[in-house]
Amino acid sequence: GENVEQHPSTLSVQEGDSAVIKCTYSDSASNYFPWYKQELGKRPQLIIDIRSNVGEKKDQRIAVTLNKTAKHFSLHITETQPEDSAVYFCAASKSTSGSRLTFGEGTQLTVNP
Amino acid sequence: DSGVTQTPKHLITATGQRVTLRCSPRSGDLSVYWYQQSLDQGLQFLIQYYNGEERAKGNILERFSAQQFPDLHSELNLSSLELGDSALYFCASSVSGRGGTGELFFGEGSRLTVL
């Protein structure tokens, strides 16, 4: 089955700096790659996603890049703010029509004021 | 509010006991997923149901079982509980099929503590 590896497990940045989280996946059939944010004690929520026919997607301060050849994708957060502090999970699946998501182990991002 | 309802929110029980966690998906969502999140761990996929049928199975222990009912709500049954079963159990739902975006909508989770 699919295996998703995520790095780093913890990341600490100063407010205003950029943060980058990287993931690799094993199943070349995967074509949907979402990122979820989980604040302390809360449920995971989708923040951005990318499909395999797109190399990059941006939404305000958040961007995701995908390299299908290398089977890796990354989350980029610019101008970080304290409220960006959370656990971020990458995930992969074979379709958007109801296939299971396989999650990475998560990255604890801390933005220091 | 994601529209996914999970009960109970908290549950404390003893080793060897059996518990049932309940999930009501968003209106119109046919797929229900169960994930386990242990302390400082990721989201481990347990099982998926689609319109009443089991669609995918992950690392779900034999002591655990689940089902999805005709009204689409789902239950996760955990039996012969062990200390290591203490975790946050999330239910999620999605549209699936044509028109699905792939997004999972998570409930608030059921926190199980086994003493």
Side-chain angles (χ1 to χ4, degrees), chain A residues 11-29:
Chain A
L11 180 59
S12 181
V13 300
Q14 289 300 122
E15 183 176 358
D17 287 350
S18 295
V20 180
I21 303 171
K22 299 182 179 181
C23 290
T24 60
Y25 61 98
S26 61
D27 191 341
S28 57

PDB file of all heavy atoms in Angstrom, chain A residues 11-29:
ATOM      1  N   LEU A  11       9.385  21.819  13.635  1.00  0.00           N
ATOM      2  CA  LEU A  11       9.945  22.958  12.933  1.00  0.00           C
ATOM      3  C   LEU A  11       9.619  24.203  13.737  1.00  0.00           C
ATOM      4  O   LEU A  11       8.445  24.467  14.036  1.00  0.00           O
ATOM      5  CB  LEU A  11       9.359  23.045  11.526  1.00  0.00           C
ATOM      6  CG  LEU A  11       9.813  24.178  10.615  1.00  0.00           C
ATOM      7  CD1 LEU A  11      11.320  24.135  10.393  1.00  0.00           C
ATOM      8  CD2 LEU A  11       9.078  24.103   9.268  1.00  0.00           C
ATOM      9  N   SER A  12      10.650  24.960  14.067  1.00  0.00           N
ATOM     10  CA  SER A  12      10.464  26.184  14.826  1.00  0.00           C
ATOM     11  C   SER A  12      11.019  27.346  14.010  1.00  0.00           C
ATOM     12  O   SER A  12      12.164  27.291  13.547  1.00  0.00           O
ATOM     13  CB  SER A  12      11.180  26.084  16.173  1.00  0.00           C
ATOM     14  OG  SER A  12      10.993  27.244  16.944  1.00  0.00           O
ATOM     15  N   VAL A  13      10.203  28.369  13.797  1.00  0.00           N
ATOM     16  CA  VAL A  13      10.626  29.527  13.011  1.00  0.00           C
ATOM     17  C   VAL A  13      10.244  30.804  13.739  1.00  0.00           C
ATOM     18  O   VAL A  13       9.389  30.800  14.640  1.00  0.00           O
ATOM     19  CB  VAL A  13       9.978  29.521  11.599  1.00  0.00           C
ATOM     20  CG1 VAL A  13      10.379  28.261  10.835  1.00  0.00           C
ATOM     21  CG2 VAL A  13       8.472  29.661  11.682  1.00  0.00           C
ATOM     22  N   GLN A  14      10.878  31.891  13.338  1.00  0.00           N
ATOM     23  CA  GLN A  14      10.522  33.194  13.877  1.00  0.00           C
ATOM     24  C   GLN A  14       9.375  33.782  13.042  1.00  0.00           C
ATOM     25  O   GLN A  14       9.289  33.548  11.826  1.00  0.00           O
ATOM     26  CB  GLN A  14      11.720  34.137  13.837  1.00  0.00           C
ATOM     27  CG  GLN A  14      12.816  33.793  14.856  1.00  0.00           C
ATOM     28  CD  GLN A  14      12.303  33.841  16.280  1.00  0.00           C
ATOM     29  OE1 GLN A  14      12.376  32.845  17.007  1.00  0.00           O
ATOM     30  NE2 GLN A  14      11.785  34.997  16.683  1.00  0.00           N
ATOM     31  N   GLU A  15       8.534  34.517  13.703  1.00  0.00           N
ATOM     32  CA  GLU A  15       7.419  35.165  13.015  1.00  0.00           C
ATOM     33  C   GLU A  15       7.949  35.971  11.827  1.00  0.00           C
ATOM     34  O   GLU A  15       8.936  36.698  11.941  1.00  0.00           O
ATOM     35  CB  GLU A  15       6.683  36.096  13.985  1.00  0.00           C
ATOM     36  CG  GLU A  15       5.459  36.761  13.398  1.00  0.00           C
ATOM     37  CD  GLU A  15       4.714  37.601  14.424  1.00  0.00           C
ATOM     38  OE1 GLU A  15       5.134  37.623  15.592  1.00  0.00           O
ATOM     39  OE2 GLU A  15       3.710  38.241  14.043  1.00  0.00           O
ATOM     40  N   GLY A  16       7.292  35.771  10.675  1.00  0.00           N
ATOM     41  CA  GLY A  16       7.710  36.474   9.469  1.00  0.00           C
ATOM     42  C   GLY A  16       8.598  35.645   8.568  1.00  0.00           C
ATOM     43  O   GLY A  16       8.715  35.948   7.368  1.00  0.00           O
ATOM     44  N   ASP A  17       9.215  34.602   9.132  1.00  0.00           N
ATOM     45  CA  ASP A  17      10.039  33.721   8.310  1.00  0.00           C
ATOM     46  C   ASP A  17       9.156  32.773   7.514  1.00  0.00           C
ATOM     47  O   ASP A  17       7.950  32.682   7.728  1.00  0.00           O
ATOM     48  CB  ASP A  17      10.989  32.903   9.191  1.00  0.00           C
ATOM     49  CG  ASP A  17      12.113  33.747   9.756  1.00  0.00           C
ATOM     50  OD1 ASP A  17      12.261  34.912   9.316  1.00  0.00           O
ATOM     51  OD2 ASP A  17      12.839  33.239  10.631  1.00  0.00           O
ATOM     52  N   SER A  18       9.798  32.042   6.595  1.00  0.00           N
ATOM     53  CA  SER A  18       9.093  31.024   5.819  1.00  0.00           C
ATOM     54  C   SER A  18       9.294  29.655   6.449  1.00  0.00           C
ATOM     55  O   SER A  18      10.287  29.421   7.145  1.00  0.00           O
ATOM     56  CB  SER A  18       9.606  31.002   4.381  1.00  0.00           C
ATOM     57  OG  SER A  18       9.304  32.206   3.714  1.00  0.00           O
ATOM     58  N   ALA A  19       8.343  28.766   6.192  1.00  0.00           N
ATOM     59  CA  ALA A  19       8.429  27.390   6.678  1.00  0.00           C
ATOM     60  C   ALA A  19       8.171  26.444   5.507  1.00  0.00           C
ATOM     61  O   ALA A  19       7.286  26.710   4.681  1.00  0.00           O
ATOM     62  CB  ALA A  19       7.410  27.141   7.781  1.00  0.00           C
ATOM     63  N   VAL A  20       8.951  25.377   5.458  1.00  0.00           N
ATOM     64  CA  VAL A  20       8.793  24.393   4.386  1.00  0.00           C
ATOM     65  C   VAL A  20       8.704  22.996   4.998  1.00  0.00           C
ATOM     66  O   VAL A  20       9.545  22.623   5.824  1.00  0.00           O
ATOM     67  CB  VAL A  20       9.971  24.430   3.390  1.00  0.00           C
ATOM     68  CG1 VAL A  20       9.751  23.382   2.287  1.00  0.00           C
ATOM     69  CG2 VAL A  20      10.111  25.809   2.781  1.00  0.00           C
ATOM     70  N   ILE A  21       7.713  22.261   4.596  1.00  0.00           N
ATOM     71  CA  ILE A  21       7.521  20.882   5.053  1.00  0.00           C
ATOM     72  C   ILE A  21       7.496  19.998   3.813  1.00  0.00           C
ATOM     73  O   ILE A  21       6.819  20.328   2.828  1.00  0.00           O
ATOM     74  CB  ILE A  21       6.215  20.725   5.844  1.00  0.00           C
ATOM     75  CG1 ILE A  21       6.195  21.687   7.037  1.00  0.00           C
ATOM     76  CG2 ILE A  21       6.047  19.280   6.319  1.00  0.00           C
ATOM     77  CD1 ILE A  21       4.857  21.767   7.744  1.00  0.00           C
ATOM     78  N   LYS A  22       8.231  18.879   3.871  1.00  0.00           N
ATOM     79  CA  LYS A  22       8.369  18.032   2.693  1.00  0.00           C
ATOM     80  C   LYS A  22       7.804  16.627   2.937  1.00  0.00           C
ATOM     81  O   LYS A  22       7.921  16.088   4.035  1.00  0.00           O
ATOM     82  CB  LYS A  22       9.841  17.930   2.302  1.00  0.00           C
ATOM     83  CG  LYS A  22      10.455  19.274   1.947  1.00  0.00           C
ATOM     84  CD  LYS A  22      11.909  19.143   1.519  1.00  0.00           C
ATOM     85  CE  LYS A  22      12.476  20.507   1.143  1.00  0.00           C
ATOM     86  NZ  LYS A  22      13.880  20.419   0.690  1.00  0.00           N
ATOM     87  N   CYS A  23       7.235  16.060   1.896  1.00  0.00           N
ATOM     88  CA  CYS A  23       6.690  14.705   1.966  1.00  0.00           C
ATOM     89  C   CYS A  23       7.065  13.917   0.729  1.00  0.00           C
ATOM     90  O   CYS A  23       7.171  14.482  -0.370  1.00  0.00           O
ATOM     91  CB  CYS A  23       5.166  14.734   2.104  1.00  0.00           C
ATOM     92  SG  CYS A  23       4.608  15.336   3.694  1.00  0.00           S
ATOM     93  N   THR A  24       7.278  12.630   0.919  1.00  0.00           N
ATOM     94  CA  THR A  24       7.477  11.722  -0.199  1.00  0.00           C
ATOM     95  C   THR A  24       6.429  10.621  -0.109  1.00  0.00           C
ATOM     96  O   THR A  24       5.960  10.284   0.978  1.00  0.00           O
ATOM     97  CB  THR A  24       8.881  11.097  -0.196  1.00  0.00           C
ATOM     98  OG1 THR A  24       9.059  10.359   1.038  1.00  0.00           O
ATOM     99  CG2 THR A  24       9.958  12.156  -0.280  1.00  0.00           C
ATOM    100  N   TYR A  25       6.058  10.084  -1.269  1.00  0.00           N
ATOM    101  CA  TYR A  25       5.083   9.007  -1.294  1.00  0.00           C
ATOM    102  C   TYR A  25       5.631   7.862  -2.123  1.00  0.00           C
ATOM    103  O   TYR A  25       6.567   8.029  -2.904  1.00  0.00           O
ATOM    104  CB  TYR A  25       3.731   9.498  -1.817  1.00  0.00           C
ATOM    105  CG  TYR A  25       3.748  10.043  -3.223  1.00  0.00           C
ATOM    106  CD1 TYR A  25       3.356   9.248  -4.301  1.00  0.00           C
ATOM    107  CD2 TYR A  25       4.125  11.354  -3.485  1.00  0.00           C
ATOM    108  CE1 TYR A  25       3.355   9.749  -5.596  1.00  0.00           C
ATOM    109  CE2 TYR A  25       4.130  11.865  -4.770  1.00  0.00           C
ATOM    110  CZ  TYR A  25       3.746  11.059  -5.821  1.00  0.00           C
ATOM    111  OH  TYR A  25       3.754  11.558  -7.108  1.00  0.00           O
ATOM    112  N   SER A  26       5.049   6.697  -1.958  1.00  0.00           N
ATOM    113  CA  SER A  26       5.626   5.512  -2.595  1.00  0.00           C
ATOM    114  C   SER A  26       4.827   5.009  -3.798  1.00  0.00           C
ATOM    115  O   SER A  26       5.405   4.418  -4.716  1.00  0.00           O
ATOM    116  CB  SER A  26       5.740   4.375  -1.566  1.00  0.00           C
ATOM    117  OG  SER A  26       4.456   4.017  -1.070  1.00  0.00           O
ATOM    118  N   ASP A  27       3.519   5.233  -3.809  1.00  0.00           N
ATOM    119  CA  ASP A  27       2.663   4.669  -4.849  1.00  0.00           C
ATOM    120  C   ASP A  27       2.533   5.648  -6.019  1.00  0.00           C
ATOM    121  O   ASP A  27       1.928   6.715  -5.878  1.00  0.00           O
ATOM    122  CB  ASP A  27       1.288   4.354  -4.270  1.00  0.00           C
ATOM    123  CG  ASP A  27       0.434   3.517  -5.209  1.00  0.00           C
ATOM    124  OD1 ASP A  27       0.733   3.475  -6.427  1.00  0.00           O
ATOM    125  OD2 ASP A  27      -0.546   2.919  -4.747  1.00  0.00           O
ATOM    126  N   SER A  28       3.082   5.275  -7.151  1.00  0.00           N
ATOM    127  CA  SER A  28       3.062   6.163  -8.316  1.00  0.00           C
ATOM    128  C   SER A  28       1.653   6.387  -8.849  1.00  0.00           C
ATOM    129  O   SER A  28       1.425   7.288  -9.651  1.00  0.00           O
ATOM    130  CB  SER A  28       3.955   5.596  -9.431  1.00  0.00           C
ATOM    131  OG  SER A  28       3.535   4.289  -9.771  1.00  0.00           O
ATOM    132  N   ALA A  29       0.692   5.576  -8.403  1.00  0.00           N
ATOM    133  CA  ALA A  29      -0.699   5.754  -8.826  1.00  0.00           C
ATOM    134  C   ALA A  29      -1.403   6.863  -8.053  1.00  0.00           C
ATOM    135  O   ALA A  29      -2.487   7.301  -8.430  1.00  0.00           O
ATOM    136  CB  ALA A  29      -1.476   4.450  -8.662  1.00  0.00           C
TER     137      ALA A  29
END
